[in-house]
């Protein structure tokens, strides 16, 4: 399998999340900027003379442009898809499911289960950064639901607030709210970006709040996926 630019002058890096010869497969492709409505790429497969996967399809090169970690939730002990290899280990009873939003997913009991990724300077968030995740929050009442973070007195947290709206918010030396009510029992894509003092929240690709008090992160502890750190 290969992917190429529209003029077939360059092969594109890719990452196979799921491969099913008799069903649906999921492949992430690192694209150049798509600048026009008729922009496209080529996909090639089925050539018996080219049976071996290229190195750029297996070594994380698709996530080499500034990514500090990408976890597909392909297993309860999830692997980082980037070349940085920040692999995680399940803590508690992390339950892997096959029918997530993209491919696989993991189910966590709040404050009990999470995936632990060893501490790294890559997670300090000292410069501009983006945090993002696919979420499907269960209706569990007013309870803090941290789903990503390194908090240990310092660090960062990305979480849903313990209120009736499940308000999306982030912590870097203080909470900063999106004022967005996160729906329960359906998949939503959430993101928070920081560029200088400007912080923006996005839900399903649409900006829902911008703020002028964004802060850099600080050095916390291990990264928790499905959790947000340790008080």
């Amino acid at each position: 399998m290969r992917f190429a630019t529209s003029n077939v002058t360059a092969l594109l890096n890719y990452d196979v999340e799921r491969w099913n010869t008799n069903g649906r497969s999921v492949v992430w492709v690192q694209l150049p900027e798509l600048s026009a409505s008729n922009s496209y790429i080529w996909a090639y497969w089925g050539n018996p003379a080219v049976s071996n996967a290229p190195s750029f399809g297996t070594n994380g090169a698709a996530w080499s442009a500034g990514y500090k970690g990408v976890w597909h939730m392909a297993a309860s002990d999830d692997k980082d898809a980037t070349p940085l290899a920040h692999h995680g280990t399940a803590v508690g009873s992390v339950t892997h499911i096959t029918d997530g939003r993209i491919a696989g997913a993991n189910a966590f009991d709040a404050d009990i289960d999470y995936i632990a990724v060893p501490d790294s300077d890559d997670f300090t968030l000292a410069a501009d950064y983006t945090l993002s995740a696919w979420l499907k929050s269960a209706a569990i009442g007013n309870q803090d639901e941290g789903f990503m973070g390194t908090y240990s007195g310092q660090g960062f947290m990305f979480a849903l607030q313990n209120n009736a709206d499940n308000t999306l918010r982030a912590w870097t030396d203080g909470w900063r709210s999106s004022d967005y009510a996160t729906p329960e029992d359906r998949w939503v894509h959430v993101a928070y970006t920081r560029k200088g003092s400007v912080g923006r929240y996005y839900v399903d690709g649409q900006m829902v709040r911008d703020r002028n008090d964004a802060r850099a992160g600080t050095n916390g502890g291990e990264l928790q996926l499905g959790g947000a750190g340790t008080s």
Side-chain angles (χ1 to χ4, degrees):
M1 180 172 58
R2 303 289 189 275
F3 298 89
T5 54
S6 58
N7 57 7
V8 201
T9 60
L11 294 176
L12 300 174
N13 299 327
Y14 67 88
D15 170 29
V16 178
E17 179 174 351
R18 174 185 289 174
W19 187 254
N20 183 351
T21 56
N22 297 312
R24 177 176 175 267
S25 298
V26 177
V27 181
W28 299 84
V29 182
Q30 186 185 48
L31 299 181
E33 182 179 1
L34 298 179
S35 57
S37 60
N38 61 348
S39 296
Y40 62 92
I41 64 171
W42 291 98
Y44 301 89
W45 64 91
N47 183 349
V50 187
S51 58
N52 294 324
S55 61
F56 56 79
T58 59
N59 64 5
W63 307 105
S64 60
Y67 288 90
K68 300 303 183 183
V70 174
W71 297 270
H72 293 314
M73 299 295 150
S76 54
D77 290 319
D78 204 34
K79 304 296 184 184
D80 177 15
T82 78
L84 298 173
H86 293 305
H87 302 320
T89 301
V91 176
S93 300
V94 178
T95 302
H96 182 67
I97 57 178
T98 59
D99 56 345
R101 179 61 182 86
I102 304 298
N106 283 315
F108 306 91
D109 286 336
D111 299 325
I112 300 174
D113 306 332
Y114 57 90
I115 294 172
V117 181
D119 186 15
S120 169
D121 289 342
D122 287 331
F123 307 143
T124 300
L125 308 183
D128 296 340
Y129 58 84
T130 297
L131 307 170
S132 67
W134 280 101
L135 300 179
K136 186 178 182 182
S137 175
I140 60 174
N142 296 349
Q143 183 173 336
D144 281 314
E145 298 176 61
F147 53 87
M148 183 193 311
T150 62
Y151 183 77
S152 62
Q154 301 185 98
F156 77 91
M157 291 184 278
F158 205 9
L160 302 181
Q161 189 175 352
N162 59 339
N163 59 16
D165 288 337
N166 281 341
T167 304
L168 181 67
R169 61 180 183 164
W171 190 97
T172 48
D173 193 28
W175 286 109
R176 289 161 180 83
S177 176
S178 70
D179 298 323
Y180 179 82
T182 309
E184 295 177 326
D185 290 323
R186 75 171 177 87
W187 287 103
V188 292
H189 185 266
V190 299
Y192 176 70
T193 69
R194 179 220 178 204
K195 186 173 184 180
S197 63
V198 177
R200 293 189 172 101
Y201 288 92
Y202 295 84
V203 177
D204 292 334
Q206 300 296 315
M207 188 176 72
V208 297
R209 177 72 194 274
D210 62 343
R211 303 181 59 111
N212 293 313
D213 59 353
R215 296 285 297 274
T218 51
N219 186 22
E222 68 179 9
L223 174 66
Q224 294 184 3
L225 307 173
T230 304
S231 304

